[in-house]
């Protein structure tokens, strides 16, 4: 395979890599994503506080049985109970409107969930970049342009 590339006009554009370049790029990828995770961790306490406060408000509304609080809870958790299904049918709300109303309950826990989703996205992106680097290294080894001594 090396002869094909050496005889082509594009030989100068063939990827080349040394071991030190590979190690440097690998280290840069790891450092970049580590910094990104540290930035996300700064906001974790805020996400936890919002989730705890929202759960506290929900529990307060349940235990005090305030009319406004119970109405809000009915709207938040309406699609999950049999009685609320009848309530929605009686007032003629469509399924689309029910979904909109039920999505309010997830608004309170959204920041915490988005934190974990962001960490997962960072892990996936890091693995993808590492895999791309490994693929370039493998290509360089196959065509004979990888220098493991440097």
């Amino acid at each position: 395979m090396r002869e094909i590339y050496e005889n082509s006009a594009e030989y100068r554009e063939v990827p080349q890599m040394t071991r030190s370049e590979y190690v440097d790029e690998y280290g840069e990828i790891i450092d970049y994503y580590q910094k990104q995770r540290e930035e996300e961790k700064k906001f974790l306490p805020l996400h936890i506080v919002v989730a705890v406060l929202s759960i506290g408000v929900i529990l307060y509304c349940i235990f005090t049985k305030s009319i406004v609080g119970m109405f809000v809870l009915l709207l938040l958790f309406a699609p999950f109970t049999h009685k609320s299904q009848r309530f929605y049918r009686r007032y003629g709300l469509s399924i689309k409107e029910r979904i909109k109303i039920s999505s309010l309950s997830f608004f309170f826990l959204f920041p915490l969930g988005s934190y974990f989703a962001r960490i997962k996205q960072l892990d996936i992106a890091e693995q993808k970049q590492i895999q791309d680097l490994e693929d370039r290294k493998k290509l360089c080894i196959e065509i004979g342009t990888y220098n493991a001594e440097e």
Side-chain angles (χ1 to χ4, degrees), residues 47 50-51 54-55 58 72 76-77 99-114:
H47 295 312
V50 169
S54 63
I55 291 172
I58 290 171
V72 169
L76 293 178
F77 299 106
I99 291 171
K100 286 180 184 177
I101 291 172
S102 66
S103 66
L104 292 174
S105 63
F106 300 109
F107 172 75
F108 295 113
L109 300 175
F110 176 74
L112 191 61
S114 66

Side-chain angles (χ1 to χ4, degrees), residues 8 10 15-16 30 49 51 54 56 72 82 85 102 114 128 149:
S8 71
E10 301 167 349
Q16 298 179 358
I30 298 297
V49 167
S54 63
V72 169
H82 180 66
Q85 292 294 331
S102 66
S114 66
K128 185 178 182 304
E149 295 175 2

Side-chain angles (χ1 to χ4, degrees), residues 20-73:
S20 60
E21 289 173 347
Y22 170 78
V23 171
D24 290 343
E25 284 187 50
Y26 189 87
E28 288 174 6
I29 292 171
I30 298 297
D31 290 341
Y32 174 77
Y33 284 103
Q34 188 63 31
K35 288 177 185 174
Q36 292 293 321
R37 283 188 197 92
E38 288 173 6
E39 287 180 20
E40 290 296 323
K41 285 182 183 179
K42 290 178 185 177
F43 295 106
L44 179 61
L46 178 66
H47 295 312
I48 291 173
V49 167
V50 169
V52 168
L53 287 176
S54 63
I55 291 172
V57 167
I58 290 171
L59 291 176
Y60 175 77
C61 291
I62 290 172
F63 291 128
T64 60
K65 297 183 181 177
S66 67
I67 294 174
V68 175
M70 294 306 281
F71 180 71
V72 169
L73 289 177

Side-chain angles (χ1 to χ4, degrees), residues 111-129:
L112 191 61
S114 66
Y115 168 78
F116 291 116
R118 176 69 178 141
I119 295 297
K120 187 174 181 179
Q121 288 174 348
L122 288 174
D123 291 340
I124 291 170
E126 179 183 27
Q127 291 303 319
K128 185 178 182 304
Q129 280 197 342

Side-chain angles (χ1 to χ4, degrees), residues 79 88 92-104:
Y88 279 138
L93 295 176
S94 67
I95 294 175
K96 194 175 202 179
E97 291 168 336
R98 292 179 202 178
I99 291 171
K100 286 180 184 177
I101 291 172
S102 66
S103 66
L104 292 174

